[in-house]
Amino acid sequence: MQTKIRGLGQSGSEVDLKATDGGVLANLPYSVLWTAKGYGFQAMATAAVAALVVRPTTTAAATLRNNSTTKVLVIERVFAHWLVSTAAQTFASLWVCVHPAGMAAVTNDITVRNSTNGGAAGGSETSFDNGATVTDDGWFPWGSQIETSATGVLPGATSIAEVGGRLIVPSTAGISLHVVSGLVGDTFTGGFFWYEVPESELLNS
């Protein structure tokens, strides 16, 4: 006797679940599905910003604002590249702040942008501001610290926070990053990797 496994689709209607000829039921990771749909984007500053030596407050190294009225930004990764380091050993770490809906519009600075599936780099519904003045909505460290040697003054390591969807930016909200270092002379270029997901799809998934 044949049986079928059924589930609820995004519209709420029942659908047949498919398997391989050997009967293996597989489920692709959300990252693969959203990349295939063209939801993935990356942006990175081209101008370096000096690190802070205290907790961030109202100045951000990089800010990403969601300008869409129908999509949310699912943050996959936050990162910073250590462009110039002072000739002294020190440590640095990433700090992130999520700004609530209703955030003021930000300047859309020149950045390196691309999609993650070969689509148009300018297809994103976001603004990326390098060095924006923001509201202190609560900064928290993300990712592990990085270190530079006592003699290094050239471009160095990258600090990467693998967020994996644990931060979500709704319509008209934003997210900012900064770097806290032991030396104010160190400079960084920061950026984000995110998915722009229709809110209806995310809530019904």
Side-chain angles (χ1 to χ4, degrees):
M1 179 179 178
Q2 290 186 339
T3 59
K4 291 183 177 181
I5 300 177
R6 296 178 65 80
L8 289 178
Q10 291 182 358
S11 65
S13 301
E14 288 191 0
V15 295
D16 292 333
L17 302 184
K18 296 181 179 181
T20 65
D21 290 339
V24 177
L25 186 64
N27 184 29
L28 289 174
Y30 74 88
S31 57
V32 176
L33 294 173
W34 288 350
T35 299
K37 290 183 175 183
Y39 293 172
F41 294 93
Q42 299 179 99
M44 184 175 186
T46 57
V49 174
L52 301 175
V53 293
V54 294
R55 175 188 173 278
T57 54
T58 59
T59 300
T63 299
L64 184 72
R65 185 183 187 273
N66 181 6
N67 299 329
S68 173
T69 58
T70 60
K71 299 176 183 178
V72 298
L73 309 184
V74 179
I75 306 300
E76 183 70 8
R77 183 181 301 124
V78 180
F79 52 88
H81 173 231
W82 204 328
L83 187 65
V84 175
S85 59
T86 306
Q89 184 182 26
T90 190
F91 296 87
S93 59
L94 271 175
W95 287 67
V96 176
C97 178
V98 177
H99 309 288
M103 176 186 184
V106 299
T107 302
N108 199 26
D109 289 330
I110 297 174
T111 56
V112 179
R113 285 181 178 258
N114 71 2
S115 71
T116 58
N117 76 338
S124 169
E125 297 186 55
T126 58
S127 294
F128 184 105
D129 195 345
N130 199 32
T133 298
V134 297
T135 302
D136 184 358
D137 293 304
W139 291 85
F140 296 89
W142 275 82
S144 57
Q145 67 181 11
I146 53 176
E147 179 184 6
T148 186
S149 68
T151 59
V153 293
L154 299 175
T158 56
S159 179
I160 300 175
E162 298 289 353
V163 179
R166 289 171 291 176
L167 295 175
I168 292 179
V169 181
S171 174
T172 71
I175 182 171
S176 294
L177 71 86
H178 217 313
V179 177
V180 175
S181 175
L183 294 168
V184 73
D186 295 343
T187 63
F188 297 80
T189 54
F192 305 91
F193 168 23
W194 70 95
Y195 297 101
E196 295 183 15
V197 185
E199 186 173 6
S200 57
E201 179 178 331
L202 189 64
L203 295 178
N204 292 329
S205 60

